[in-house]
Structure formats: structure tokens, C-alpha cells
């Protein structure tokens, strides 16, 4: 076992892991954070998406040891003081979640995308195009919604930011 | 998946030391987007993985004179965001911006894409038209520089010794006025490997093609330069008749196979069409 220390949703945390474990395994098993899921385990579906230092990655293919000293964000960290993140609210308002299996991953990819956009001086809503949203979410599969509602939700959230 | 030991060296020296501790069954890992799939499918079972992620010597994109140097550990996403690459190597930009998903691009590296040596690797054809050379370094810190076309040995195989790793790549910036492009034919609009990939770089003066380089992915055991097709187009103008003829010549230079992505005959037809399209796009992008 190896000791691992990192920042998880804003808190400094410490845990013991096996060297071959993936980030997804330890988020679910050591921290009981069940938002990130294993869909394919192969980088195809995006259900396991979380952010490492603000970048969205597939936690099913990301060795847990690589987050030593780094900043990890999961869907559980999106709420702020009991209030939904604008993306979560927009997903609700637009019916962008049905069975919900893909939703945490979708939210995290959308967050990485909007956060990056926000560094641009123009207002986010002005510069977010539908084509860009589709490209940003290409690594997140959804078997229920047909994607339109998800794209609408991201557009709506962009207006909020 | 077997239980490997995972090392995170922070310098090349530490990386080579880790390798020499378990020379037989240890592997370097960069983004892991190829390696972890092989591990999970039990195709490989290394005792030790040596992560190249925290080694500063392997990162970054720089321009020196007429060359661009890209560290092997630079991620595909970093290359996509690079203004140097967008400006000087647009065909490489085309390739990296259409590779996999954002999640994969955030971890996958250029070194991993090339050393993995899949015949369909998206960055190989663009690197070939920029005359890329591979900087290889060994555990004695000796460097050798190999043209990319000589680095590939066959599908999934490169000329790399056990005590060596890839430090980076040198790309030649095309002459002023040149244009370049990479087109990838896939079954899906996103998140798919290339069915066929065509990269073209050309320089046109007074309507005549002064220089042209064409590279093809997925239609031979490794990505290749289409040298006969290049020779045919050099000194000619890009008329429809010449481009059609060029496609016919390219068809004689390739050896595609039937696989689950497509049939060989279809890949040949796509190469013919895409040589035309990529040449026209490269021409549109050239300044003259
Ligand atoms: C869902 C998914 C989609 C994908 N889509 C595409 C796609 O569209 N196009 C495409 O081309 N590929 C695609 N790939 C394949 C893969 O992402 C790329 O080949 C990627 O660039 C590999 O880089 P890596 O850093 O992750 O490699 P790793 O898996 O870390 O390494 C790959 C190989 O290279 C070796 N290696 C890595 N760095 C070095 C070095 N510096 N020196 C020596 N050896 C080294 C490793 O030992 C290993 O053998 C996809 C993969 C997945 C999982
Ligand atoms: S579970 Fe990680 S991408 Fe599907
Ligand atoms: S809501 Fe069911 S998979 Fe997306």
C-alpha cells in the first residue's frame, strides 16, 4: 500500500492505495464518491469523467498515483453551499438527464469547457457555439436524451456564467 | 489487469535508473491511453510502469529558426492549443484537434502516439510531411536523430532499444507561401480512429506545384510518404485531370487490408478522393 495525498473537491485528503489502482477505483471505494461511474472502462464513454487540475480526464484510465499533490474535482463538488451549480440547474431545467448514468461525466466535461471559455474576456454566452459544445462533449456518450437537451443546457448555463 | 508497480521519476536520469532495475518487464508510460487498454485486456502484463508525466525535459513546444521542436511528453491537447502549431503546422493541428475526445487529448502524448506506431496513428502522416525527425536518447544520455520514416519498423513496432526513449520531435517549417492539411475519413463524426488519413503539404508558384509532400495513414503497415505521387505532381499545376491521375498513382503505392473499419477497395477509393481534397485544401491555405 502507498499513501496518497491530494485535494479532493477543495479538501486536502489522504488515503492508502495499491499502486495499480485507477483514480476511478479509489474515488468510489476509498471516498464513496459514486458520481463517476465505470461504463466501459476503456476511455470510450466518459461516464468516469472528473477534473484533474481543471482538465477533464477519464478516471478509468488515470492511475491514482498521478493525482499526488494535484487538485481533483468530481460531480459531488459542484454544489456550492447547498445550491446547484448553474450547469446542474440548467440540466434540470432543460430535461438533460433521464436515467442519469452519463450525467456526472457530462457535467464535468461541460464544466471544463465553460471554465476554459471563461478565461476569454468576451462574455461566455457570446462565444459558445453549438459546434464547440458538440466537440467538447464528443467523449461523453448518452443513451437516453439524444443530446439536444444536453446541448441546450450547456448553452443556458453559459448565459448564467 | 495484473498488479504492477508504478514509478514516477521527475527526471530522465531517474527514469532510466528505474528502467535498469527491472530491465525485462518494465515499460515507460506517458498518457497511458494505449497502454492501460492493453493492460486491461491482459495483452500485456508488465511488473513495472515508469511514468514519464513528471519529467520536464520531455515537455513543451519551441521554435528555433525554421524548426519546431515538440517534447515527446507534450499532450495532444497542448499541441492543439499551441499558436505555433496552428500557425506553422496546420496539418498537425487538423490531426490533433480531431483525435479521440477532449478527455483523451488531455492525457495522450505525441510520443505515445508515435511509439505506439499504429498504422492509423493520427499524428504520423502530418509529421511525415513536415519531414519530422525523432530525437532518441539512451541511458548514457547519448542522442541519435532518426527520420520518422526510418523509425517505424512495422505495425506497432519502432526502432527503439530497451535503454532508449523518445525525447522529442523536430519538424521543419514549410517554406513561406506553403499550405498544408490533414484529412481523416471516419465512420463517425467524432471519437473514431481514421479509416484513411491523408496529409499534404505544398508550395505553389505561378500555378505550378514547386514542392509537394504527401503522407498516408492506415493504408500500409506504417504511415508512409507517397513518393511516386509527389514526383508526378511536382512541376505540374493542380488541374482536375492531374489530381485524378495522382490518385491513381497513389493507389499503386498503398497496400490496405480489409478490417472492421473498412474494406481495402473502399480505402483505395477514399485515398483517391482525399488526395484531391487535401491538395485543394492545402492550396487554399497557401498564401500565393
Ligand atoms: C477512446 C480512445 C480514442 C482514441 N482515439 C485515437 C484517435 O482518434 N487517433 C489516434 O491516433 N489515436 C487514438 N487513440 C490512441 C491513443 O490515445 C494515442 O495513440 C495516444 O497518442 C497515445 O499516447 P499516450 O501518451 O497515451 O501513450 P501511452 O499509452 O502512454 O504509451 C504508448 C506507447 O508508447 C510508449 N511511449 C510513450 N512515450 C514514450 C517515450 N517518450 N519514449 C519511448 N516510449 C514511449 C509506451 O511505452 C507505450 O508502448 C485513442 C485511444 C482511446 C483510448
Ligand atoms: S468508464 Fe471511463 S470512459 Fe467509459
Ligand atoms: S441520461 Fe441516460 S445515458 Fe444519458
Amino acid at each position: 500500500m502507498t499513501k496518497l495525498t491530494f485535494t479532493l473537491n477543495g479538501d486536502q485528503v489522504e488515503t492508502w492505495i495499491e499502486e495499480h489502482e485507477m483514480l476511478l477505483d479509489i474515488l468510489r471505494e476509498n471516498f464513496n464518491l459514486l458520481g463517476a461511474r465505470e461504463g466501459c472502462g476503456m476511455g470510450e464513454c466518459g461516464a468516469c469523467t472528473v477534473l484533474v487540475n481543471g482538465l477533464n480526464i477519464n478516471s478509468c484510465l488515470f492511475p491514482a498515483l498521478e493525482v499526488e499533490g494535484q487538485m481533483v474535482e468530481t460531480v459531488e463538488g459542484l454544489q456550492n453551499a447547498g445550491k446547484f451549480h448553474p450547469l446542474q440547474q440548467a440540466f434540470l431545467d432543460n430535461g438533460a438527464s433521464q436515467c442519469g448514468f452519463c450525467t456526472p461525466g457530462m457535467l464535468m466535461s461541460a464544466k471544463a469547457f465553460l471554465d476554459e471559455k471563461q478565461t476569454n474576456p468576451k462574455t461566455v454566452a457570446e462565444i459558445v457555439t453549438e459546434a464547440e459544445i458538440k466537440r467538447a462533449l464528443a467523449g461523453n456518450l448518452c443513451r437516453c436524451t439524444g443530446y439536444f437537451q444536453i446541448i441546450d443546457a450547456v448553452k443556458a448555463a453559459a448565459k448564467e456564467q | 489487469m495484473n498488479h504492477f508497480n508504478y514509478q514516477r521519476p521527475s527526471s530522465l536520469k531517474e527514469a532510466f535508473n528505474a528502467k535498469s532495475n527491472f530491465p525485462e518487464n518494465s515499460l515507460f508510460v506517458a498518457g497511458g491511453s494505449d497502454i492501460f487498454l492493453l493492460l486491461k485486456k491482459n495483452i500485456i502484463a508488465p511488473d513495472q510502469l515508469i511514468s514519464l508525466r513528471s519529467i520536464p525535459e520531455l515537455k513543451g513546444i519551441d521554435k528555433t529558426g525554421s524548426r519546431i521542436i515538440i517534447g515527446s511528453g507534450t499532450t495532444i491537447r497542448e499541441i492543439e492549443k499551441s499558436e505555433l502549431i496552428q500557425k506553422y503546422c496546420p496539418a498537425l493541428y487538423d490531426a490533433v484537434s480531431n483525435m479521440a475526445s477532449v478527455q483523451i487529448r488531455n492525457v495522450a502524448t505525441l510520443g505515445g502516439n508515435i511509439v505506439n506506431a499504429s498504422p492509423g496513428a493520427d499524428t504520423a502522416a502530418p509529421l511525415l510531411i513536415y519531414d519530422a525527425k525523432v530525437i532518441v536518447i539512451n541511458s548514457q544520455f547519448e542522442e541519435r536523430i532518426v527520420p520518422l520514416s526510418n523509425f517505424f519498423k512495422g505495425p506497432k513496432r519502432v526502432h527503439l532499444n530497451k535503454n532508449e526513449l523518445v525525447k522529442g520531435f523536430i519538424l521543419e517549417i514549410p517554406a513561406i507561401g506553403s499550405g498544408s492539411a490533414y484529412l481523416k475519413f471516419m465512420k463517425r463524426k467524432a471519437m473514431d480512429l481514421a479509416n484513411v488519413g491523408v496529409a499534404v503539404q505544398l508550395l505553389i508558384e505561378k500555378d505550378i506545384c514547386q514542392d509537394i509532400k504527401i503522407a498516408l495513414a492506415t493504408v500500409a503497415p506504417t504511415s508512409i510518404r507517397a513518393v511516386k505521387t509527389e514526383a508526378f505532381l511536382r512541376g505540374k499545376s493542380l488541374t482536375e485531370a492531374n489530381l485524378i491521375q495522382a490518385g491513381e498513382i497513389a493507389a499503386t503505392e498503398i497496400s490496405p487490408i480489409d478490417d472492421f473499419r473498412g474494406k481495402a477497395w473502399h480505402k483505395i477509393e477514399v485515398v483517391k478522393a482525399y488526395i484531391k481534397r487535401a491538395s485543394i485544401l492545402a492550396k487554399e491555405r497557401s498564401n500565393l
Side-chain angles (χ1 to χ4, degrees):
Chain A
M1 296 288 258
T2 309
K3 191 165 97 175
L4 179 71
T5 312
F6 62 106
T7 307
L8 179 56
N9 295 325
D11 297 327
Q12 187 77 11
V13 296
E14 207 178 274
T15 187
W16 290 86
I17 63 162
E18 301 280 359
E19 297 202 0
H20 64 268
E21 282 184 296
M22 294 292 145
L23 179 58
L24 177 63
D25 305 326
I26 69 143
L27 289 173
R28 295 181 63 88
E29 282 157 32
N30 300 23
F31 295 98
N32 203 31
L33 295 177
L34 304 178
R37 281 116 195 211
E38 178 160 80
C40 62
M42 297 283 170
E44 296 280 347
C45 73
C48 63
T49 304
V50 302
L51 310 191
V52 175
N53 300 332
L55 302 178
N56 52 330
I57 57 100
N58 301 117
S59 63
C60 68
L61 295 180
F62 201 90
L65 270 178
E66 293 287 355
V67 304
E68 175 67 39
Q70 313 297 309
M71 225 175 65
V72 177
E73 291 167 75
T74 70
V75 73
E76 289 85 356
L78 277 185
Q79 283 195 29
N80 189 357
K83 249 192 94 192
F84 279 142
H85 184 278
L87 270 166
Q88 290 174 305
Q89 192 59 52
F91 267 56
L92 267 177
D93 297 344
N94 287 276
S97 180
Q98 288 182 25
C99 79
F101 192 86
C102 70
T103 311
M106 283 287 178
L107 285 167
M108 297 318 280
S109 285
K111 179 170 194 291
F113 168 66
L114 290 184
D115 286 353
E116 190 186 358
K117 282 280 162 193
Q118 212 152 24
T119 55
N120 191 307
K122 285 198 204 169
T123 68
V124 180
E126 239 176 273
I127 53 172
V128 170
T129 66
E130 186 161 325
E132 281 180 306
I133 297 174
K134 286 186 182 167
R135 283 174 51 78
L137 300 181
N140 292 84
L141 298 185
C142 175
R143 282 289 171 255
C144 303
T145 64
Y147 300 102
F148 291 104
Q149 298 87 331
I150 294 173
I151 293 163
D152 287 345
V154 177
K155 272 192 221 158
K159 291 205 186 89
E160 289 294 304
Q161 296 220 330
Chain B
M1 191 164 83
N2 84 315
H3 292 184
F4 50 82
N5 144 325
Y6 196 83
Q7 299 292 326
R8 295 177 63 231
S10 53
S11 68
L12 278 177
K13 192 159 190 279
E14 285 175 24
F16 284 122
N17 282 345
K19 183 102 184 201
S20 65
N21 292 340
F22 287 92
E24 284 320 313
N25 207 7
S26 71
L27 283 173
F28 291 123
V29 57
S33 60
D34 282 314
I35 280 205
F36 289 125
L37 295 198
L38 298 176
L39 266 157
K40 288 190 169 192
K41 293 178 186 164
N42 290 319
I43 296 170
I44 55 171
D47 297 327
Q48 174 180 254
L49 288 181
I50 304 162
S51 167
L52 303 177
R53 248 184 256 240
S54 316
I55 301 181
E57 294 107 299
L58 301 182
K59 294 195 188 286
I61 303 170
D62 290 303
K63 177 174 178 293
T64 47
S66 62
R67 293 171 155 181
I68 301 269
I69 298 177
I70 309 178
S72 65
T74 311
T75 66
I76 298 298
R77 188 80 172 147
E78 284 160 353
I79 296 171
E80 179 187 357
K81 297 276 168 196
S82 159
E83 283 174 17
L84 283 176
I85 298 301
Q86 290 171 17
K87 180 167 177 197
Y88 294 111
C89 308
L92 181 57
Y93 173 76
D94 291 339
V96 294
S97 58
N98 285 308
M99 231 177 107
S101 60
V102 178
Q103 288 97 315
I104 295 285
R105 299 205 288 278
N106 275 333
V107 298
T109 64
L110 185 59
N113 197 231
I114 294 298
V115 176
N116 191 55
S118 153
D122 270 313
T123 63
L127 288 196
L128 285 171
I129 60 162
Y130 296 123
D131 254 338
K133 292 172 194 72
V134 187
I135 310 169
V136 175
I137 186 165
N138 70 13
S139 49
Q140 307 304 310
F141 279 74
E142 293 155 344
E143 291 188 7
R144 64 184 173 97
I145 295 188
V146 204
L148 180 59
S149 43
N150 300 346
F151 187 62
F152 291 127
K153 207 192 255 181
K156 303 257 161 192
R157 288 163 64 225
V158 294
H159 290 282
L160 199 62
N161 297 323
K162 281 212 150 57
N163 69 335
E164 291 180 321
L165 59 75
V166 173
K167 191 174 168 204
F169 302 89
I170 306 171
L171 280 62
E172 303 291 337
I173 297 174
I176 293 172
S178 303
S180 54
Y182 174 71
L183 289 181
K184 172 180 180 179
F185 178 76
M186 0 179 221
K187 281 193 191 153
R188 298 183 68 223
K189 280 189 189 155
M191 271 298 268
D192 203 358
L193 295 174
N195 210 314
V196 167
V198 177
V200 174
Q201 186 232 299
L202 47 71
L203 177 65
I204 299 209
E205 273 166 12
K206 298 198 180 75
D207 204 40
I208 298 296
C209 185
Q210 298 297 335
D211 188 27
I212 183 159
K213 296 193 178 75
I214 301 172
L216 307 172
T218 329
V219 287
T222 70
S223 291
I224 52 162
R225 283 273 295 276
V227 285
K228 286 186 199 156
T229 314
E230 293 173 2
F232 170 77
L233 284 174
R234 208 167 287 125
K236 295 200 175 62
S237 87
L238 295 186
T239 59
E240 188 174 3
N242 282 339
L243 285 173
I244 290 173
Q245 177 81 35
E248 296 299 328
I249 295 170
T252 67
E253 298 194 77
I254 58 182
S255 48
I257 52 169
D258 289 346
D259 60 20
F260 68 94
R261 281 180 210 292
K263 296 282 181 205
W265 71 265
H266 185 253
K267 292 180 194 172
I268 292 172
E269 294 307 313
V270 176
V271 164
K272 290 181 192 170
Y274 271 48
I275 287 217
K276 242 192 290 181
R277 286 189 205 175
S279 301
I280 291 168
L281 182 57
K283 185 181 168 188
E284 282 169 7
R285 286 177 178 176
S286 61
N287 316 339
L288 297 177

Coordinates of all heavy atoms in Angstrom, one line a residue, chain B residues 62-109:
Chain B
D62 N 8.7 24.4 -29.0 CA 9.5 25.6 -29.2 C 9.8 25.8 -30.7 O 9.9 24.8 -31.4 CB 10.9 25.4 -28.5 CG 10.7 25.5 -27.0 OD1 10.2 26.5 -26.5 OD2 11.1 24.5 -26.3
K63 N 10.1 27.0 -31.0 CA 10.5 27.3 -32.4 C 11.9 27.8 -32.4 O 12.3 28.7 -31.6 CB 9.6 28.4 -33.0 CG 10.0 28.8 -34.4 CD 8.9 29.8 -35.0 CE 9.3 30.3 -36.4 NZ 10.5 31.1 -36.4
T64 N 12.8 27.2 -33.1 CA 14.2 27.7 -33.3 C 14.4 27.8 -34.8 O 14.5 26.8 -35.5 CB 15.2 26.8 -32.6 OG1 15.0 25.5 -33.1 CG2 15.2 26.8 -31.1
G65 N 14.6 29.0 -35.3 CA 14.8 29.2 -36.7 C 13.6 28.6 -37.5 O 12.5 28.9 -37.2
S66 N 13.9 27.7 -38.4 CA 12.9 27.2 -39.3 C 12.4 25.9 -38.8 O 11.8 25.1 -39.5 CB 13.4 27.1 -40.7 OG 14.5 26.1 -40.7
R67 N 12.6 25.6 -37.5 CA 12.2 24.3 -37.0 C 11.3 24.5 -35.8 O 11.4 25.4 -35.0 CB 13.4 23.5 -36.5 CG 14.3 23.1 -37.7 CD 15.5 22.5 -37.2 NE 16.0 21.6 -38.3 CZ 17.2 20.9 -38.2 NH1 17.9 21.0 -37.1 NH2 17.5 20.2 -39.2
I68 N 10.4 23.5 -35.6 CA 9.6 23.4 -34.4 C 10.0 22.1 -33.7 O 10.1 21.1 -34.3 CB 8.1 23.3 -34.8 CG1 7.6 24.5 -35.6 CG2 7.2 23.1 -33.5 CD1 7.0 25.6 -34.8
I69 N 10.3 22.3 -32.4 CA 10.6 21.1 -31.6 C 9.5 20.8 -30.6 O 9.1 21.7 -29.8 CB 12.0 21.3 -30.9 CG1 13.0 21.5 -32.0 CG2 12.4 20.1 -30.0 CD1 14.4 21.8 -31.6
I70 N 9.1 19.6 -30.6 CA 8.0 19.2 -29.7 C 8.5 18.1 -28.8 O 8.9 17.1 -29.2 CB 6.7 18.7 -30.5 CG1 6.3 19.7 -31.5 CG2 5.6 18.5 -29.5 CD1 5.1 19.3 -32.4
G71 N 8.4 18.3 -27.5 CA 8.8 17.3 -26.5 C 7.9 16.1 -26.6 O 6.6 16.3 -26.8
S72 N 8.4 14.9 -26.4 CA 7.6 13.7 -26.6 C 6.4 13.6 -25.6 O 5.4 13.1 -25.9 CB 8.4 12.4 -26.4 OG 8.9 12.4 -25.1
G73 N 6.6 14.2 -24.4 CA 5.6 14.2 -23.4 C 4.5 15.3 -23.5 O 3.7 15.4 -22.6
T74 N 4.6 16.1 -24.5 CA 3.6 17.1 -24.8 C 2.3 16.5 -25.1 O 2.2 15.6 -25.9 CB 4.1 18.1 -25.9 OG1 5.4 18.4 -25.7 CG2 3.2 19.3 -26.0
T75 N 1.2 17.0 -24.4 CA -0.1 16.3 -24.7 C -0.7 16.7 -26.0 O -0.4 17.8 -26.5 CB -1.1 16.5 -23.6 OG1 -1.5 17.9 -23.6 CG2 -0.6 16.1 -22.2
I76 N -1.5 15.9 -26.6 CA -2.2 16.2 -27.8 C -3.0 17.5 -27.6 O -3.1 18.4 -28.5 CB -3.2 15.0 -28.2 CG1 -2.4 13.7 -28.4 CG2 -4.0 15.3 -29.4 CD1 -1.4 13.8 -29.5
R77 N -3.6 17.7 -26.5 CA -4.4 18.9 -26.2 C -3.5 20.2 -26.2 O -3.8 21.2 -26.6 CB -5.1 18.8 -24.9 CG -6.1 19.8 -24.5 CD -7.4 19.6 -25.2 NE -8.4 20.6 -24.7 CZ -9.4 21.1 -25.4 NH1 -9.5 20.8 -26.6 NH2 -10.2 21.9 -24.8
E78 N -2.3 20.0 -25.6 CA -1.3 21.2 -25.6 C -0.9 21.5 -27.0 O -0.8 22.7 -27.4 CB -0.1 20.8 -24.8 CG -0.3 20.9 -23.3 CD 0.7 20.1 -22.4 OE1 1.6 19.4 -23.0 OE2 0.6 20.2 -21.2
I79 N -0.8 20.5 -27.9 CA -0.4 20.8 -29.3 C -1.6 21.5 -30.0 O -1.4 22.4 -30.7 CB 0.0 19.4 -30.0 CG1 1.2 18.9 -29.3 CG2 0.2 19.7 -31.5 CD1 1.6 17.5 -29.8
E80 N -2.8 21.0 -29.7 CA -4.0 21.6 -30.3 C -4.1 23.1 -29.9 O -4.5 23.9 -30.7 CB -5.2 20.8 -29.8 CG -6.6 21.3 -30.3 CD -7.7 20.6 -29.6 OE1 -7.5 19.7 -28.8 OE2 -8.9 21.0 -29.9
K81 N -3.7 23.4 -28.7 CA -3.9 24.8 -28.2 C -2.7 25.7 -28.6 O -2.8 26.9 -28.4 CB -4.0 24.8 -26.6 CG -5.1 24.1 -26.1 CD -6.3 25.0 -26.0 CE -7.6 24.2 -25.8 NZ -8.8 24.9 -26.1
S82 N -1.7 25.1 -29.2 CA -0.4 25.9 -29.4 C -0.6 26.8 -30.6 O -0.9 26.4 -31.7 CB 0.7 24.9 -29.6 OG 1.7 25.5 -30.4
E83 N -0.3 28.1 -30.4 CA -0.4 29.0 -31.5 C 0.7 28.7 -32.6 O 0.5 28.9 -33.8 CB -0.3 30.5 -31.0 CG -1.6 30.9 -30.4 CD -1.6 32.3 -29.8 OE1 -0.6 33.0 -30.0 OE2 -2.5 32.6 -29.0
L84 N 1.9 28.3 -32.1 CA 2.9 27.9 -33.0 C 2.5 26.8 -34.0 O 2.7 26.9 -35.2 CB 4.2 27.4 -32.3 CG 5.1 28.4 -31.6 CD1 6.2 27.7 -30.8 CD2 5.7 29.4 -32.6
I85 N 1.8 25.8 -33.5 CA 1.4 24.7 -34.3 C 0.2 25.1 -35.2 O 0.2 24.8 -36.4 CB 0.9 23.5 -33.4 CG1 2.0 23.0 -32.6 CG2 0.3 22.4 -34.3 CD1 3.2 22.5 -33.3
Q86 N -0.7 25.9 -34.7 CA -1.8 26.4 -35.6 C -1.2 27.2 -36.7 O -1.7 27.1 -37.9 CB -2.8 27.2 -34.8 CG -3.6 26.4 -33.8 CD -4.4 27.2 -32.8 OE1 -4.7 28.4 -33.0 NE2 -4.8 26.6 -31.7
K87 N -0.2 28.0 -36.4 CA 0.3 28.9 -37.5 C 1.3 28.2 -38.5 O 1.2 28.3 -39.7 CB 1.1 30.0 -36.8 CG 1.7 31.0 -37.7 CD 2.2 32.3 -37.0 CE 2.9 33.2 -38.0 NZ 3.7 34.2 -37.3
Y88 N 2.2 27.3 -37.9 CA 3.2 26.8 -38.8 C 3.0 25.4 -39.2 O 3.5 24.9 -40.2 CB 4.6 26.8 -38.1 CG 5.1 28.2 -37.8 CD1 5.1 28.8 -36.5 CD2 5.5 29.0 -38.9 CE1 5.6 30.1 -36.3 CE2 5.9 30.3 -38.7 CZ 6.0 30.8 -37.4 OH 6.4 32.1 -37.2
C89 N 2.1 24.6 -38.5 CA 1.9 23.2 -38.9 C 0.4 22.9 -38.9 O 0.0 22.0 -38.1 CB 2.7 22.3 -37.9 SG 4.4 22.7 -37.7
P90 N -0.3 23.5 -39.8 CA -1.8 23.4 -39.7 C -2.3 21.9 -39.9 O -3.3 21.6 -39.4 CB -2.3 24.3 -40.8 CG -1.1 24.7 -41.6 CD 0.1 24.6 -40.8
A91 N -1.5 21.1 -40.7 CA -1.9 19.8 -40.9 C -1.9 19.0 -39.6 O -2.7 18.1 -39.3 CB -1.1 19.1 -41.9
L92 N -0.9 19.3 -38.7 CA -0.8 18.6 -37.4 C -1.9 19.1 -36.5 O -2.5 18.4 -35.8 CB 0.6 18.9 -36.8 CG 0.8 18.3 -35.4 CD1 0.6 16.8 -35.5 CD2 2.2 18.6 -34.8
Y93 N -2.3 20.4 -36.7 CA -3.4 20.9 -35.9 C -4.7 20.2 -36.4 O -5.5 19.8 -35.5 CB -3.6 22.5 -36.1 CG -4.9 23.0 -35.5 CD1 -5.0 23.1 -34.1 CD2 -6.0 23.2 -36.3 CE1 -6.2 23.5 -33.6 CE2 -7.2 23.6 -35.7 CZ -7.3 23.8 -34.4 OH -8.4 24.2 -33.8
D94 N -4.9 20.0 -37.7 CA -6.1 19.3 -38.1 C -6.1 17.9 -37.5 O -7.2 17.5 -37.0 CB -6.0 19.0 -39.7 CG -6.1 20.3 -40.5 OD1 -6.7 21.3 -40.0 OD2 -5.7 20.2 -41.7
A95 N -5.0 17.3 -37.4 CA -5.0 15.9 -36.8 C -5.3 15.9 -35.3 O -6.1 15.1 -34.9 CB -3.6 15.2 -37.1
V96 N -4.6 16.7 -34.6 CA -4.8 16.6 -33.1 C -6.1 17.1 -32.7 O -6.7 16.6 -31.7 CB -3.6 17.4 -32.3 CG1 -2.3 16.7 -32.5 CG2 -3.6 18.8 -32.7
S97 N -6.7 18.1 -33.4 CA -8.0 18.6 -33.0 C -9.1 17.7 -33.3 O -10.2 17.8 -32.8 CB -8.2 20.0 -33.6 OG -8.2 19.9 -35.0
N98 N -8.9 16.7 -34.1 CA -9.9 15.7 -34.4 C -9.6 14.3 -33.9 O -10.2 13.3 -34.3 CB -10.1 15.6 -35.9 CG -10.9 16.7 -36.5 OD1 -11.9 17.1 -36.0 ND2 -10.3 17.4 -37.4
M99 N -8.6 14.3 -32.9 CA -8.3 13.0 -32.4 C -9.2 12.7 -31.2 O -9.4 13.6 -30.3 CB -6.8 13.1 -31.9 CG -6.0 11.9 -32.4 SD -4.3 12.2 -31.8 CE -4.2 10.9 -30.6
A100 N -9.6 11.4 -31.0 CA -10.2 11.0 -29.8 C -11.2 12.0 -29.2 O -12.0 12.6 -29.9 CB -9.2 10.6 -28.8
S101 N -11.2 12.2 -27.9 CA -12.1 13.1 -27.2 C -11.2 14.1 -26.4 O -10.0 13.9 -26.3 CB -12.9 12.3 -26.2 OG -12.0 11.7 -25.2
V102 N -11.8 15.1 -25.9 CA -11.0 16.1 -25.1 C -10.4 15.3 -23.9 O -9.2 15.5 -23.6 CB -11.9 17.2 -24.5 CG1 -11.1 18.2 -23.6 CG2 -12.6 18.0 -25.7
Q103 N -11.1 14.4 -23.3 CA -10.6 13.7 -22.1 C -9.3 12.9 -22.5 O -8.3 12.9 -21.7 CB -11.6 12.6 -21.6 CG -12.8 13.2 -20.9 CD -14.0 13.3 -21.8 OE1 -13.9 13.8 -22.9 NE2 -15.1 12.9 -21.3
I104 N -9.3 12.2 -23.6 CA -8.1 11.5 -24.1 C -7.0 12.5 -24.5 O -5.8 12.3 -24.1 CB -8.4 10.5 -25.3 CG1 -9.4 9.5 -24.8 CG2 -7.2 9.9 -25.8 CD1 -8.9 8.4 -23.9
R105 N -7.4 13.6 -25.2 CA -6.4 14.5 -25.7 C -5.7 15.2 -24.5 O -4.5 15.6 -24.6 CB -7.0 15.6 -26.6 CG -7.6 15.0 -27.8 CD -7.7 16.0 -28.9 NE -8.6 17.1 -28.8 CZ -9.9 17.1 -29.1 NH1 -10.5 15.9 -29.5 NH2 -10.7 18.1 -28.9
N106 N -6.4 15.3 -23.4 CA -5.8 15.9 -22.2 C -4.7 15.1 -21.6 O -3.8 15.6 -20.8 CB -6.8 16.2 -21.1 CG -7.5 17.5 -21.3 OD1 -7.0 18.5 -21.9 ND2 -8.8 17.6 -20.9
V107 N -4.6 13.8 -21.9 CA -3.6 12.9 -21.3 C -2.7 12.3 -22.4 O -1.5 12.2 -22.1 CB -4.2 11.7 -20.5 CG1 -5.0 12.3 -19.3 CG2 -5.0 10.8 -21.3
A108 N -3.2 12.0 -23.6 CA -2.4 11.4 -24.6 C -1.3 12.3 -25.1 O -1.5 13.5 -25.1 CB -3.3 11.0 -25.8
T109 N -0.1 11.7 -25.4 CA 1.0 12.5 -25.8 C 1.4 12.2 -27.3 O 1.0 11.1 -27.8 CB 2.2 12.1 -24.9 OG1 2.6 10.8 -25.1 CG2 1.9 12.4 -23.5

